[in-house]
Amino acid sequence: MAFISIRGLRRRYVMGEVIVKALDGVDLEVEEGEFLCLMGPSGSGKSTLLNLLGGLDSPDEGSIVVNGQEITKLDQNGLSLYRQRQIGYIFQSFNLIATMTTLQNVEFPMMFSGVSRPDRRRRATEALIKVGLGDRIRHRPTELSGGQQQRVAVARGLINNPTILLGDEPTGNLDSKMSEEILNMLVEVNRNGQTLVVVTHDPRVSGYAGRIIHMLDGRIVSDDGKH
Amino acid sequence: MRLLDLVTLVLSNLNRMRGRVVMTAMGVVIGTSAIVVLIALSTGLKQQTVDNFSSFGTLNQITVFSRSRFGGSSDEDTVSLTPEIIKEISQIEGVVAVTPYEQFSGQTTLRLNRMQGFGSLYGIDPSVVPYMGFELAEGDALLSRNTVIIGASVGDGFSEVTTSTRSTSGGGDRGGPGGNRNGGMPPGGGGIEGMLFGMGGGRSEEESTEEESTLDLYGRTLLLDMTRSNDGETDTRTVRLRVGSVLESTGGNEDYNIYMSMGDLESLVTWSNGKRPTWNSSGYTQLLVIAEQDAQITLDVTKEITDRGFNAMSTTSVVESLSSTFSLIQAVLGGIASIALLVAAIGIANTMVMAVLERTREIGLMKAIGARNRDILSVFITEATAIGLLGGLMGVLIGAGVAQIVDLFAAGYLSSSGSEASSVVVIPLWLPVFAIGFSMFIGMAAGIYPAFRAVQLDPVNALKYE
């Protein structure tokens, strides 16, 4: 069985009186260590698929098995633990907490996984050094550039050693130079064996990805890596 | 999530909205300080009243009357306090001793040289003297033939008399003519307001023209002049009484008592009435029952005697009922103050709902990075509890301060009105603990709803929230 195995996934939303089929029967298999890019116009269902894969949302039908664990059968607590141990997130708008320093932001996920304070400090500092922000650990996010903020977010996303790193338009708010920086970082992460699933509109991102999937109206319309 | 991390996170979250936290906590401060002040005040008043009552009359003594004395329905219902009844009562568990407590009701005057005095004459069983709780100033506390034990104030009442004879009468007024002197407590009820604020000052002015002196009567022999009327003829007899012991002052009206043996009293009564008293058949007027030194035992014995058809009263039962009345007052005042805390709770809930709204994205992020529902619950409930704690701490401090100011004013008022300046405000140890605990509880309860709102947020939408 593949590392990630998605079968017959359906997700509907009710918006007013209209039922929107965000996902309309998606099947997908992803191997460990792949760099997967989900593309498609707005409303094609790529973000929904990402959220379901990240355990932030639950499908109406279908199943997702990650690393042998069927996450679509997990309860709220199980999903929290799944997110904590298997998933790292990077968002378009960084989602850093403005009142915390970069160090505290990177430490934050470890607070919920019960890592001791000295260990957190050490690991967060190392992660920030790795993303080239060793001299910015006491800064607040507002004192950093967009690229730097996203680097902090990458450090945060990787801090619990997740098996899958999910990116929702990670370069959406960045200029081309900064996007390049982040993409190089993601490639580096991928080289170390981490599975990457990135939703994007950005053609540059797809250039770095090993596999590109196009979606439309809640279905996969093309998959250049389909075995 | 570790406790230390939770506390750190909560403190940093409160710090970001410190302005609102302080304003919200002010509501708790007002409620808590009101609780502290009102309960401290009612506790102080309760304690003073109970102390004042306890100071006169020994707590383990029970006075027993036959029912008819207080208007029993008919003679047949009346059970007389005969020697058999004494024997019966002394069998009750917890009773240490029982004695008749008979007051001499004839006309008497005490004399010593050219001075006259007064005192209430009581006959008691000499064998119970050790149990009477007498504190001796002088003497050996023995009652023997024509030897008496006198209260501390009997000697104060002696004065040089030039003209008419003053009489000391018994008959119900236990205080005797000097009942209102030296702030002595009025007998049997009345004057609660005096008790509330210590002993009411003012010496009676009406007798101030007489020359008075405090006499040490210990070892002296007093002459007791008795008068009886027989068919219009007045007859006088004088009995010599040696003062064998003088008691320490209790501050109560028993300071004017003169205790003699029942044998001595019987001979006085026999002469005064012209016949022997019929105590064996018609019973004594009252009995004094001494119970074990324990409030509950005293109450149990009092109840047992009452159940047997007598009127039984003890200072303990008075203190007990006063104490429960004050507890009720305390509860009512505490309840009123608690309303302020309830209002404060709404304030806390409001602040926390706003916090949840403002931090929607952050809550979404917390969920995305693996925070469990119980982590999010504990963050918000702990924040609300901390606001309660902060308000509680400040409220206790401010409340204690206000209570001290009230005490200062009350002390000033009391000393200007001539009373002893004692504390009207008492903060028992449980009060600050309770007040802080209660305000924390209020905060926690107020945090439950906002915390559940936070937990129920859909993480996908929360992360998109602007």
Side-chain angles (χ1 to χ4, degrees):
Chain A
M1 193 184 230
F3 183 62
I4 301 171
S5 175
I6 297 170
R7 290 271 168 273
L9 209 58
R10 284 174 205 281
R11 182 75 172 99
R12 285 180 291 270
Y13 297 107
V14 180
M15 297 183 99
E17 292 184 357
V18 186
I19 295 173
V20 180
K21 291 180 180 174
L23 285 185
D24 191 16
V26 168
D27 298 293
L28 182 64
E29 297 208 327
V30 182
E31 294 304 328
E32 191 165 12
E34 275 194 84
F35 184 164
L36 189 83
C37 191
L38 290 172
M39 299 191 80
S42 294
S44 58
K46 53 191 192 307
S47 288
T48 304
L49 181 58
L50 196 78
N51 290 332
L52 287 168
L53 190 54
L56 287 178
D57 196 5
S58 301
D60 298 311
E61 277 175 52
S63 68
I64 303 173
V65 178
V66 175
N67 208 1
Q69 184 183 32
E70 187 168 352
I71 63 160
T72 36
K73 282 192 174 161
L74 293 175
D75 61 5
Q76 294 251 334
N77 207 29
L79 279 175
S80 297
L81 288 174
Y82 164 74
R83 293 192 292 257
Q84 194 180 87
R85 288 168 191 171
Q86 311 266 13
I87 301 293
Y89 257 104
I90 313 170
F91 306 94
Q92 179 175 357
S93 51
F94 324 133
N95 277 328
L96 299 177
I97 296 172
T99 50
M100 290 183 178
T101 62
T102 55
L103 187 71
Q104 288 167 334
N105 267 291
V106 177
E107 271 186 53
F108 203 32
M110 291 188 281
M111 234 187 218
F112 301 111
S113 51
V115 180
S116 73
R117 185 186 288 240
D119 270 1
R120 285 200 317 250
R121 281 278 133 95
R122 187 178 48 76
R123 278 167 61 181
T125 310
E126 279 171 13
L128 283 166
I129 291 170
K130 219 179 253 178
V131 298
L133 292 172
D135 55 346
R136 295 279 192 275
I137 61 172
R138 303 263 170 246
H139 287 60
R140 309 258 163 200
T142 46
E143 297 163 340
L144 303 177
S145 71
Q148 287 173 327
Q149 287 189 50
Q150 195 62 302
R151 274 148 65 184
V152 175
V154 171
R156 181 183 63 191
L158 292 171
I159 199 69
N160 270 339
N161 273 325
T163 49
I164 307 166
L165 185 64
L166 302 177
D168 194 351
E169 304 274 9
T171 58
N173 279 357
L174 302 177
D175 62 26
S176 58
K177 191 172 163 286
M178 287 177 177
S179 298
E180 197 95 348
E181 251 178 43
I182 293 300
L183 285 169
N184 282 325
M185 202 172 280
L186 293 182
V187 168
E188 181 69 27
V189 166
N190 180 233
R191 261 195 213 122
N192 292 335
Q194 219 116 23
T195 308
L196 254 63
V197 180
V198 176
V199 164
T200 188
H201 280 109
D202 188 347
R204 280 169 308 179
V205 178
S206 52
Y208 286 83
R211 180 176 170 194
I212 298 167
I213 289 171
H214 282 273
M215 294 187 70
L216 190 67
D217 298 333
R219 292 165 187 265
I220 293 174
V221 289
S222 78
D223 179 354
D224 67 358
K226 195 152 190 173
H227 311 289
Chain B
M1 203 174 179
R2 292 165 181 232
L3 183 65
L4 185 65
D5 291 337
L6 177 66
V7 172
T8 316
L9 184 62
V10 162
L11 288 179
S12 102
N13 285 343
L14 291 177
N15 187 39
R16 326 188 209 170
M17 50 174 191
R18 54 183 168 272
R20 247 181 303 158
V21 166
V22 168
M23 279 190 277
T24 310
M26 282 313 290
V28 184
V29 170
I30 292 168
T32 312
S33 49
I35 288 181
V36 169
V37 171
L38 290 176
I39 292 187
L41 197 60
S42 53
T43 306
L45 290 179
K46 171 181 175 177
Q47 195 161 309
Q48 258 205 344
T49 310
V50 169
D51 284 354
N52 285 344
F53 265 93
S54 309
S55 69
F56 38 89
T58 316
L59 283 171
N60 63 332
Q61 291 182 2
I62 304 160
T63 312
V64 180
F65 302 108
S66 64
R67 188 79 87 183
S68 64
R69 188 185 162 96
F70 290 109
S73 52
S74 73
D75 281 354
E76 289 138 50
D77 292 342
T78 306
V79 188
S80 303
L81 299 168
T82 58
E84 286 76 52
I85 296 295
I86 293 183
K87 213 172 281 175
E88 200 185 295
I89 290 177
S90 58
Q91 308 285 313
I92 295 174
E93 208 185 316
V95 171
V96 175
V98 186
T99 173
Y101 195 67
E102 200 65 33
Q103 188 172 16
F104 182 64
S105 54
Q107 268 208 324
T108 56
T109 310
L110 283 173
R111 273 193 293 131
L112 182 69
N113 303 332
R114 294 182 58 209
M115 288 184 288
Q116 288 187 345
F118 54 84
S120 306
L121 293 167
Y122 282 91
I124 57 173
D125 180 347
S127 67
V128 304
V129 170
Y131 309 109
M132 291 289 288
F134 286 154
E135 283 184 41
L136 285 175
E138 289 166 298
D140 51 11
L142 284 179
L143 281 185
S144 52
R145 192 170 162 74
N146 290 337
T147 301
V148 294
I149 299 172
I150 65 168
S153 300
V154 173
D156 299 350
F158 275 80
S159 56
E160 202 95 24
V161 174
T162 43
T163 51
S164 67
T165 310
R166 286 179 56 197
S167 74
T168 301
S169 75
D173 181 7
R174 290 179 63 196
N180 57 353
R181 289 170 182 226
N182 300 328
M185 293 314 302
I192 290 284
E193 56 293 340
M195 294 162 189
L196 281 175
F197 291 103
M199 307 307 169
R203 289 168 67 97
S204 171
E205 295 298 314
E206 57 192 270
E207 287 172 304
S208 61
T209 49
E210 285 185 19
E211 203 183 314
E212 280 185 23
S213 58
T214 299
L215 282 179
D216 181 7
L217 297 176
Y218 174 58
R220 310 289 286 265
T221 298
L222 305 174
L223 298 178
L224 178 75
D225 291 335
M226 299 189 293
T227 314
R228 68 176 178 192
S229 301
N230 213 347
D231 298 331
E233 281 182 45
T234 309
D235 200 357
T236 311
R237 184 187 175 197
T238 300
V239 177
R240 298 165 76 83
L241 298 174
R242 198 183 73 84
V243 177
S245 319
V246 180
L247 301 176
E248 291 284 4
S249 173
T250 62
N253 50 286
E254 60 268 25
D255 281 353
Y256 296 93
N257 287 0
I258 298 171
Y259 299 99
M260 59 176 57
S261 69
M262 280 306 288
D264 283 355
L265 187 83
E266 186 175 352
S267 65
L268 299 189
V269 173
T270 306
W271 182 83
S272 179
N273 294 349
K275 58 177 183 191
R276 293 180 71 83
T278 55
W279 290 329
N280 285 343
S281 56
S282 56
Y284 299 100
T285 319
Q286 56 179 312
L287 303 180
L288 201 61
V289 176
I290 292 124
E292 284 172 28
Q293 291 277 10
D294 179 286
Q296 194 51 50
I297 292 177
T298 306
L299 288 175
D300 291 346
V301 170
T302 309
K303 188 177 179 301
E304 177 64 32
I305 296 172
T306 309
D307 289 349
R308 293 185 185 200
F310 304 103
N311 280 305
M313 308 189 310
S314 63
T315 313
T316 301
S317 59
V318 175
V319 166
E320 192 76 8
S321 73
L322 270 176
S323 173
S324 61
T325 307
F326 271 99
S327 295
L328 184 71
I329 293 174
Q330 238 173 9
V332 169
L333 289 180
I336 292 170
S338 302
I339 293 173
L341 264 190
L342 282 182
V343 175
I346 297 168
I348 294 177
N350 183 42
T351 297
M352 293 313 296
V353 167
M354 291 299 292
V356 169
L357 211 60
E358 282 172 0
R359 276 148 55 188
T360 298
R361 251 185 119 95
E362 194 179 312
I363 295 162
L365 175 78
M366 283 166 76
K367 291 191 169 193
I369 62 176
R372 276 169 287 186
N373 284 348
R374 69 157 186 257
D375 294 326
I376 292 167
L377 263 184
S378 36
V379 167
F380 283 92
I381 290 182
T382 309
E383 281 181 31
T385 310
I387 295 177
L389 171 66
L390 179 73
L393 284 172
M394 285 171 59
V396 164
L397 290 178
I398 290 175
V402 171
Q404 291 311 314
I405 293 170
V406 169
D407 200 29
L408 225 63
F409 276 108
Y413 171 75
L414 288 181
S415 59
S416 72
S417 68
S419 303
E420 277 176 61
S422 58
S423 226
V424 291
V425 170
V426 171
I427 300 180
L429 194 64
W430 62 264
L431 181 55
V433 176
F434 165 79
I436 292 170
F438 190 51
S439 46
M440 279 175 77
F441 170 75
I442 286 278
M444 193 188 76
I448 289 175
Y449 168 69
F452 270 98
R453 274 184 66 141
V455 164
Q456 279 160 2
L457 285 176
D458 168 30
V460 174
N461 289 329
L463 280 163
K464 287 189 221 151
Y465 184 83
E466 295 294 338

